[in-house]
Amino acid sequence: IYEFQTMIASLNVLDVSNASLYDGATAFAEACLMAVRANRKSKSRRILVPRALNTVFRSVAHAIIKGQQIELVELPLKDGRTETAALADLEGQDFAAVAIQNPTFLGTLEDVDTLTDWAHANQALVIGVTNPMSLALLRPPGQWGADGADIACGEGQPMGVPLSSGGPYFGFLTCRQAIVRQ
């Protein structure tokens, strides 16, 4: 487990990793819950979510967090990517976190630097949703924008986990040391 946690934290360039969750969708839901608890600068229970985020991740997260009165607010798409110009309309609104999936469910690459910097400038945490195999080519969440994502999660099955007791899926969750207790 230590080797797994070290690998996941290193891949995402964050400090601490869990020992895994049921799947990537539940890892995203837990990341949302964690962000609301950890964001001490905001009292918001709203999380900005790009429309290009995995639909299963969104629906599972909604089912898990709705009982906590946490709302997922969708960001619009333009040409398969999050429309960063729409962020201007959200200035001054309070959000606990901004989720960014890279690559997106549609296979496009997000402007992770702009989204991350906007989130931090607006007192929101950043949840990076990644495919661990893509991190061999793409910048990891811990290096997005000026300060990097605060939390990263995703589905670990793409690393080649074979079918076994209960299935091949497992979610990973990793974060900065400052919010590890959440």
Side-chain angles (χ1 to χ4, degrees):
I1 291 174
Y2 171 78
E3 295 297 331
F4 165 78
Q5 291 172 306
T6 302
M7 176 188 67
I8 291 296
S10 297
L11 276 173
N12 288 282
V13 188
L14 289 167
D15 302 321
V16 182
S17 173
N18 72 335
S20 83
L21 289 140
Y22 183 70
D23 61 9
T26 54
F28 175 66
E30 290 294 333
C32 292
L33 292 168
M34 181 180 181
V36 169
R37 287 190 311 266
N39 191 340
R40 305 226 191 275
K41 297 175 185 173
S42 169
K43 297 294 182 204
S44 178
R45 301 186 74 73
R46 299 185 322 150
I47 298 174
L48 277 174
V49 179
R51 193 167 288 150
L53 181 75
N54 185 320
T55 57
V56 173
F57 282 32
R58 277 190 287 147
S59 63
V60 168
H62 177 70
I64 291 173
I65 67 177
K66 71 180 176 185
Q68 302 275 334
Q69 287 75 46
I70 298 172
E71 178 187 5
L72 299 179
V73 178
E74 282 194 352
L75 281 165
L77 287 177
K78 182 175 183 180
D79 300 325
R81 296 175 61 190
T82 298
E83 188 175 1
T84 54
L87 296 173
D89 298 335
L90 300 171
E91 288 291 334
Q93 294 187 39
D94 201 14
F95 293 97
V98 176
I100 307 167
Q101 183 174 7
N102 198 47
T104 70
F105 189 63
L106 302 173
T108 58
L109 298 178
E110 292 282 24
D111 185 353
V112 293
D113 295 330
T114 299
L115 292 166
T116 300
D117 290 340
W118 182 90
H120 287 150
N122 287 277
Q123 310 302 313
L125 297 179
V126 174
I127 301 170
V129 181
T130 65
N131 176 328
M133 297 306 289
S134 73
L135 298 176
L137 297 173
L138 303 177
R139 268 186 309 127
Q143 295 177 343
W144 293 351
D147 297 321
D150 303 288
I151 302 167
C153 62
E155 175 58 59
Q157 197 284 327
M159 293 193 288
V161 179
L163 285 169
S164 63
S165 304
Y169 304 105
F170 69 90
F172 63 85
L173 182 68
T174 182
C175 69
R176 299 203 174 281
Q177 183 68 41
I179 59 175
V180 71
R181 302 302 287 169
Q182 298 302 321

